[in-house]
């Protein structure tokens, strides 16, 4: 990383400096250790990161046999040779003294966290026996898998071979699902991950509650930093003055829950003043006249009392967006399960982009490409007799992935059929799903509850069997064949051995399959054989991938300007300004605004977000990362703090509208948040006994989220619908 870009990167992120060391000198000094005796010297291994799901290419350094440090792989287009602050803390995941060490079998009641260590054979035999029993008594569909990240691929394969279609990830119904549904309904395609946002070429970037720089998706932060450095105009609408807002030309402190009103007013101006991309809209749009007519009443003056945003500011920002079209990117966000109208809000964002002509255009949204690597030729999975359990009768007609909370509901109700076994991989469901009591109620109905993870998280505390996984620096995983601006393949490979009895997920999945009589689905002897086979079938060299960590493909056209043919796989084959499929399903064909419900007097809407040094609730026992941030704080507006006699830095507790009281949390008194809401970073306030280092530090937003509103289009669970007030810490 050159010094200028590194300085800009840290300036944007606000993260602690000095975590990542420059690597070129060390790379030159690299030497291979001998094959005998204790390992000496420095060696490097390319792999890809798993501190979050972004999968940045990494170079891991081993010095005298010990994991030393990790840096970005300069060959990797996601990291560009630079990791985010969390990624640089990867060594701390390996050395974490609180991590799971051996398979555990529950000794007492679920949730009491009393275990006995068992061998892998004992643990896997136990699970296989229980799974066979569930299959014979209830059918294979009665097992469900919850997973997060690429590491779940092999377990999904085992579960599909076993015969269940019920595999879900919180990344859909608790995160990006509404966004992808809103964009699919408009353009026929979703935003995918990593997002197809061409931030680095954007001339104007609009962020609605999207905390780039705090929400640390490495590539996006680097591109945002470059775009800001190149003079891009940034518009931020957010109840909180985020890090990104600090880079903005225009900051709009929008009232929480009123974003659709703001979006309608912006679109009203673009249409009324004929500032939209007329050629693009007339060539690619469907139903524009009806759409334009629907917008007529939504003037900035109409939006003002709803959003709190000055009509002239709404006009000025709409004109600013138009000035730079089509290189104006209204960012679709990622974690967008906020108020229950989230798919329609995301559709409004898609429509605003459509008016600006940014879909498929440079500085807007590129069309991602990928390498052609054939899947492994497995036998066909058994046909399931019953469909998935999460969405009976398609009550959420636009859900295109499995709804986690739908599986939870089926587990509680036994309808449309009983769910009797959960396998939970790398997702702390008690922090990821709203209303933890509902999750616990569901678990009580299970005959088998298995958790596979690297740390003893809260959800592991409710398992019958806990299986310790090797961390990403100790294991192979599936190939990362990413959809991105340019095609590439990345390899995850072990750098060091797991320190105890931990095993890689592929080994666990294979061993379990063998015990279930599903050996034909794992014809390969080990994962290297599997990886080799897939790469060879695609005409790629495994040796090259092992050496470099990355194989990059040829650049291809990714914008319409480069000759790419526009294609919109919607029912009309065009961009659907007016959606007949929504209308036919009984929904608004153009997004409509509904005023959000207020909280009780003296209560404030609870908003939550991310920190640049932590991922979800999974990194708080990592000593390197917790050293940078060991607890969260609650942001309270200065006037609100005065009213409640709160002082900056004091510990308090939060109490939500249902009387649930949080762990103690420090107050941050600030002008940087509206007076009608408070904000905290997600994932803190651990209650799992095994997380000794993180236990009781900060408060858990998940504990406060007892209520949620379900998105009628796709089953996403909106969580910014809870309100809190303040209690003394000693209460
Ligand atoms: S964004 Fe950060 S934590 Fe996530 S994969 Fe990249 S370097 Fe790792």
């Amino acid at each position: 990383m050159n010094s200028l870009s590194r300085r800009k990167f840290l300036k944007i992120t606000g993260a602690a400096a000095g975590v990542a060391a420059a690597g070129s000198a060390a790379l030159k000094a690299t030497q291979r250790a001998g094959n005998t005796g204790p390992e000496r010297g420095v060696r490097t291994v390319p792999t890809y990161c798993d501190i979050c799901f972004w999968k940045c290419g990494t170079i891991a350094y081993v010095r005298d046999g010990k994991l030393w440090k990790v840096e970005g792989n300069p060959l990797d287009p996601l990291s560009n040779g630079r990791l985010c602050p969390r990624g640089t803390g990867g060594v701390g995941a390996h050395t974490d003294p609180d991590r799971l060490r051996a398979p555990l079998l529950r000794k007492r009641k679920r949730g009491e966290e009393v275990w006995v260590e068992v061998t892998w054979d004992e643990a896997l035999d136990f699970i296989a026996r229980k799974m066979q029993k569930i299959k014979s008594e209830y059918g294979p569909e009665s097992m469900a898998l919850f997973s997060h990240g690429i590491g779940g691929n092999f377990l999904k394969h085992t579960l599909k071979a076993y015969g269940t279609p019920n595999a879900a990830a919180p990344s859909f119904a608790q995160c990006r699902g509404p966004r992808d549904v809103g964009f699919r309904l408009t353009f026929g395609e979703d935003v995918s991950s990593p997002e197809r946002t061409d931030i680095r070429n954007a001339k104007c970037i609009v962020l609605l509650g999207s905390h780039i720089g705090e929400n640390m998706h490495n590539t996006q932060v680097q591109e945002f930093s470059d775009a800001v450095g190149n003079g891009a105009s940034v518009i931020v609408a957010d109840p909180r003055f985020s890090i990104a807002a600090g880079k903005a030309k225009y900051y709009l402190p929008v009232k929480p829950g009123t974003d659709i009103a703001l979006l309608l007013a912006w679109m009203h101006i673009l249409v009324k003043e004929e500032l939209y991309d007329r050629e693009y809209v007339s060539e690619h749009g469907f139903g524009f006249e009806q759409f334009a007519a629907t917008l007529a009443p939504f003037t900035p003056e109409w939006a003002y009392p709803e959003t709190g945003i000055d009509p002239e500011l709404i006009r000025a920002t709409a004109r600013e967006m138009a000035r730079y079209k089509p290189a104006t990117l209204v960012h679709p966000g990622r974690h967008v399960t906020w108020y229950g109208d989230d798919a329609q809000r995301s559709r409004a964002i898609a429509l605003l982009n459509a008016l600006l002509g940014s879909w498929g255009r440079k500085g807007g949204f590129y069309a991602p490409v990928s390498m052609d690597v054939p899947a492994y030729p497995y036998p066909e999975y058994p046909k399931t007799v019953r469909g998935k359990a999460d969405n009976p009768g398609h009550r959420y007609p636009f859900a295109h992935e499995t709804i986690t909370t739908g599986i939870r509901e089926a587990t509680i109700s036994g309808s449309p059929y009983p769910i009797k076994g959960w396998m939970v991989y790398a997702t702390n469901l008690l922090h990821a799903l709203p209303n933890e009591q509902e999750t616990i109620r569901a678990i009580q109905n299970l005959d088998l509850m298995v958790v596979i993870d690297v740390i003893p998280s809260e959800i592991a505390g409710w398992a019958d069997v806990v299986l310790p996984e090797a961390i990403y620096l100790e294991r192979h995983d599936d190939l990362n064949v990413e959809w991105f601006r340019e095609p590439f393949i990345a390899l995850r490979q072990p750098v060091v051995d797991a320190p105890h009895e931990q095993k890689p997920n592929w080994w666990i999945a294979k061993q379990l399959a063998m015990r279930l009589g599903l050996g034909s689905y794992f014809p390969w002897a080990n994962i290297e054989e599997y990886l080799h086979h897939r790469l060879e079938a695609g005409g790629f060299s495994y040796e090259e991938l092992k050496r470099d960590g990355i194989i990059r493909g040829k650049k291809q056209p990714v914008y319409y300007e480069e000759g790419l043919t526009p294609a919109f796989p919607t029912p009309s084959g065009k961009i659907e300004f007016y959606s007949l499929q929504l209308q036919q399903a009984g929904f608004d064909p153009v997004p409509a605004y509904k005023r959000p419900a207020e909280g009780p007097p003296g209560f404030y809407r609870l908003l939550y977000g991310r920190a640049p040094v932590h991922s979800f609730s999974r990194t708080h026992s990592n000593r390197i990362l917790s050293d940078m941030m060991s607890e969260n704080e609650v942001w309270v507006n200065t006037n609100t703090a005065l009213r409640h006699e709160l002082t900056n830095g004091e510990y308090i507790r939060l109490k939500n509208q249902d009387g649930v009281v949080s762990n103690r949390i420090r107050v941050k008194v600030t002008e940087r948040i509206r007076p009608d809401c408070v904000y905290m970073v997600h994932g803190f306030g651990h209650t799992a006994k095994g997380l000794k280092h993180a236990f009781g530090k900060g408060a858990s937003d998940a504990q406060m989220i007892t209520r949620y509103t379900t998105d009628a289009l796709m089953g996403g669970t909106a969580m910014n619908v809870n309100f809190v007030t303040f209690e003394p810490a000693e209460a």
Side-chain angles (χ1 to χ4, degrees), residues 113 428 456-461 685-692 694-696:
E113 300 182 77
N428 188 1
S457 63
E458 280 72 23
I459 194 68
H686 284 284
T687 53
K689 288 181 199 161
L691 292 175
K692 296 188 186 74
F695 186 89

Side-chain angles (χ1 to χ4, degrees), residues 48-58 79 82-88 216-219 472 615:
Y48 65 86
C49 180
D50 192 40
I51 297 293
C52 87
F53 53 84
W54 201 257
K55 306 189 274 289
C56 293
T58 300
S79 74
R82 293 171 278 176
L83 299 182
C84 86
R86 297 171 301 176
T88 57
M216 184 55 64
H217 300 146
N218 190 4
T219 326
Y472 71 101
S615 292

Side-chain angles (χ1 to χ4, degrees), residues 323-351:
R323 185 169 304 136
Y324 295 104
K325 71 176 187 298
T328 294
L329 171 68
V330 187
H331 196 286
R334 187 171 183 107
H335 180 85
V336 295
T337 40
W338 298 348
Y339 305 109
D341 56 5
D342 305 305
Q344 286 283 24
R345 184 185 65 251
S346 296
R347 182 163 143 71
I349 292 173
L351 289 168

Side-chain angles (χ1 to χ4, degrees), residues 454-482:
V454 297
I455 52 165
S457 63
E458 280 72 23
I459 194 68
W462 290 86
D464 302 327
V465 192
V466 182
L467 302 180
E469 195 196 14
I471 72 151
Y472 71 101
L473 294 163
E474 302 155 359
R475 67 176 200 243
H476 282 100
D477 253 317
D478 209 346
L479 296 171
N480 182 25
V481 187
E482 201 67 277

Side-chain angles (χ1 to χ4, degrees), residues 341-565:
D341 56 5
D342 305 305
Q344 286 283 24
R345 184 185 65 251
S346 296
R347 182 163 143 71
I349 292 173
L351 289 168
L352 179 56
N353 278 296
L355 284 176
L356 295 162
S358 67
W359 185 260
R361 309 284 281 281
K362 191 168 181 180
F365 294 81
Y366 61 81
V369 289
S370 103
M371 294 285 226
D372 188 10
V373 183
Y376 194 93
Y378 290 124
E380 242 187 80
Y381 295 123
K383 298 258 177 301
T384 57
V385 182
R386 299 173 286 188
K388 291 194 292 180
D390 63 309
N391 192 10
H394 299 285
R395 67 185 152 161
Y396 304 114
F398 297 101
H400 59 266
E401 290 184 30
T402 311
I403 303 165
T404 40
T405 30
I407 300 274
R408 181 175 78 177
E409 212 174 305
T411 311
I412 294 170
S413 66
S415 172
Y417 52 82
I419 297 287
K420 299 309 266 183
W422 281 13
M423 188 166 290
V424 182
Y425 172 77
T427 175
N428 188 1
L429 293 182
L430 286 171
H431 277 247
L433 306 187
N435 195 325
E436 58 186 20
Q437 289 310 317
E438 269 185 49
T439 306
I440 291 167
R441 265 216 331 276
I443 292 169
Q444 304 296 17
N445 278 355
L446 297 173
D447 291 349
L448 174 66
M449 167 74 174
V450 181
V451 167
I452 302 157
D453 213 327
V454 297
I455 52 165
S457 63
E458 280 72 23
I459 194 68
W462 290 86
D464 302 327
V465 192
V466 182
L467 302 180
E469 195 196 14
I471 72 151
Y472 71 101
L473 294 163
E474 302 155 359
R475 67 176 200 243
H476 282 100
D477 253 317
D478 209 346
L479 296 171
N480 182 25
V481 187
E482 201 67 277
W483 286 88
F484 190 56
R485 186 187 273 119
E486 59 178 287
F488 70 94
I489 310 168
L491 176 70
R492 181 172 286 155
Q493 57 185 333
V495 179
V496 285
D497 292 336
H500 305 286
E501 296 295 313
Q502 300 95 341
K503 296 282 187 193
N505 60 66
W506 65 265
W507 183 90
I508 298 169
K510 180 171 163 71
Q511 291 297 318
L512 188 57
M514 307 302 270
R515 284 166 170 79
L516 291 166
L518 304 170
S520 61
Y521 288 90
F522 284 85
W524 34 271
N526 57 52
I527 191 166
E528 288 207 83
E529 198 178 302
Y530 161 89
L531 295 169
H532 193 276
H533 188 287
R534 281 193 68 194
L535 287 162
E536 199 173 48
F540 302 102
S541 157
Y542 184 39
E543 290 311 313
E544 182 187 339
L545 190 57
K546 277 206 291 192
R547 185 194 64 212
D548 296 340
I550 304 286
I551 295 177
R552 288 172 89 143
K554 283 204 181 73
K555 289 222 163 131
Q556 297 167 25
V558 294
Y559 311 117
Y560 302 158
E561 295 96 318
E562 293 178 330
L564 196 70
T565 310

